[in-house]
Amino acid sequence: LKNHEKYRINSSNILMCPSRFAPNKKELHTQAIDLYLELTLDKTSTWELFFVGSIQQNLYYQNLVRKCAKMNVKFVTDACFVEKLSEIISIADKVIAVGRTAMESILLQKETYVPSFTGTPTKIDTSNIFLYQSNNFTWRAPCLQQSKILSLKTPNSLYAYVNNEYNSQFFIEK
């Protein structure tokens, strides 16, 4: 992807949102755009938002493209990239995703966000990994209730936990 002329990377930082383009992913896409806009407020760095996924509903996809027309956003829909999502995630600095894609992002040691029902993406960290894991890394997770959260001791333990919990089940290669 980095060397592909169509998707030339023009900034120093990449926020990636791997997801199908369908109406049921609207909240994820909206929160990805919001996170991107928040990141661009820091004028000391430049950001690009990469949406990566297959088009399931063309009208939804076209509306999303129009919404992002004046932003530094790229849409990667080529099957050769979408099918190798784990490899594509490796070029991202931050990832906003749900489900297995969020878990893979953590395994690749990327700063990972999950959309939340509050409208603000939540960064997955050692204080909330168990809550989001129990809800398949989706916005179905309820408000964080500290009494229900088991904390891991260090940020590296987040990777170790996910690596141990999922890598053995899904045989994910880094």
Side-chain angles (χ1 to χ4, degrees), residues 145-165:
Q145 298 174 8
Q146 293 300 325
S147 63
K148 291 184 178 180
I149 298 173
L150 301 171
S151 292
L152 298 168
K153 301 230 185 293
T154 66
N156 286 342
S157 61
L158 176 67
Y159 165 77
Y161 171 76
V162 173
N163 186 45
N164 184 51
E165 186 75 12

Side-chain angles (χ1 to χ4, degrees), residues 18-128:
S19 172
R20 297 180 304 271
F21 297 104
N24 67 332
K25 299 297 183 181
K26 182 178 181 180
E27 191 62 33
L28 172 62
H29 296 138
T30 299
Q31 290 189 37
I33 292 168
D34 292 345
L35 180 58
Y36 163 77
L37 292 172
E38 182 180 319
L39 292 169
T40 61
L41 293 175
D42 177 4
K43 299 301 180 193
T44 62
S45 61
T46 58
W47 285 89
E48 281 182 283
L49 171 56
F50 276 71
F51 284 111
V52 182
S54 59
I55 300 170
Q56 289 196 324
Q57 190 189 70
N58 197 46
L59 180 60
Y60 175 82
Y61 171 75
Q62 293 302 324
N63 287 335
L64 187 60
V65 169
R66 275 193 289 284
K67 181 176 182 176
C68 298
K70 295 185 179 184
M71 298 178 215
N72 196 8
V73 175
K74 291 194 171 77
F75 291 86
V76 180
T77 59
D78 300 41
C80 64
F81 296 121
V82 173
E83 292 168 3
K84 297 180 180 182
L85 199 51
S86 294
E87 294 173 30
I88 302 300
I89 291 173
S90 67
I91 69 166
D93 297 288
K94 299 177 190 268
V95 176
I96 179 168
V98 296
R100 181 176 170 158
T101 308
M103 180 267 307
E104 288 185 29
S105 174
I106 295 167
L107 283 172
L108 292 168
Q109 299 184 11
K110 301 299 176 181
E111 190 171 304
T112 304
Y113 294 80
V114 174
S116 74
F117 69 93
T118 65
T120 302
T122 301
K123 181 181 173 184
I124 300 298
D125 61 27
T126 57
S127 71
N128 61 22

